[in-house]
């Protein structure tokens, strides 16, 4: 088991997370207010932009392969290096889905 430092950009918060646990589970244990909902990699509520570092998140079904290179779903993501994450940053697909929903509501 290897431990990595996860820094949250702009908050001054930093935690140590092992490569066998999710970033979200560690946030909850440490009392860090990380948004989440489904905890199964679908809803994108726990999304964070990866500013630096790497994660593995094979069960992050809510992200496209391309998005998974730049965004972490903290409920699924396990660090593979020290990380800098910008919480509350959502992948482009969430905005596209929201716009589609708004258009359908206007019909």
């Amino acid at each position: 088991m290897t431990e990595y430092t996860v820094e949250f950009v702009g908050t001054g918060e930093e935690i140590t997370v092992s490569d066998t646990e999710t970033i979200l589970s560690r946030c909850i244990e440490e009392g860090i207010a990380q948004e989440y909902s489904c905890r199964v990699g679908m809803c994108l509520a726990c999304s964070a932009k990866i500013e630096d570092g790497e994660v593995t998140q094979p069960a992050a079904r809510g992200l496209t392969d391309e998005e998974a290179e730049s965004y972490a779903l903290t409920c699924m993501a396990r660090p593979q290096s020290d990380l800098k994450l910008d919480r509350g940053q959502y992948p482009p697909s969430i905005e596209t889905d929201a716009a589609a929903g708004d258009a359908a509501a206007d019909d």
Side-chain angles (χ1 to χ4, degrees), residues 8 17 28 78 94-95:
F8 296 102
V17 184
I28 292 168
R78 289 170 166 72
I94 198 169
E95 293 177 17

Side-chain angles (χ1 to χ4, degrees), residues 34-47:
Q34 170 63 47
E35 287 188 46
Y36 68 93
S37 183
C38 74
R39 295 185 76 165
V40 295
M42 293 294 294
C43 74
L44 305 179
C46 67
S47 182

Side-chain angles (χ1 to χ4, degrees), residues 1-97:
M1 172 176 68
T2 304
E3 292 190 334
Y4 299 103
T5 299
V6 178
E7 175 188 337
F8 296 102
V9 175
T11 69
E13 295 170 314
E14 190 174 284
I15 56 175
T16 300
V17 184
S18 80
D19 60 355
T20 62
E21 65 185 333
T22 67
I23 296 165
L24 176 62
S25 65
R26 192 54 158 172
C27 285
I28 292 168
E29 288 175 16
E30 295 290 328
I32 292 178
Q34 170 63 47
E35 287 188 46
Y36 68 93
S37 183
C38 74
R39 295 185 76 165
V40 295
M42 293 294 294
C43 74
L44 305 179
C46 67
S47 182
K49 183 157 181 32
I50 301 169
E51 297 292 338
D52 190 37
E54 295 182 26
V55 299
T56 183
Q57 52 186 346
R61 297 177 298 250
L63 297 174
T64 66
D65 290 341
E66 184 177 303
E67 290 171 342
E69 294 176 15
S70 300
Y71 294 87
L73 296 184
T74 62
C75 70
M76 294 285 115
R78 289 170 166 72
Q80 299 298 292
S81 69
D82 289 339
L83 292 168
K84 287 186 181 181
L85 298 177
D86 191 357
R87 290 191 310 218
Q89 300 298 314
Y90 302 99
S93 64
I94 198 169
E95 293 177 17
T96 302
D97 291 346

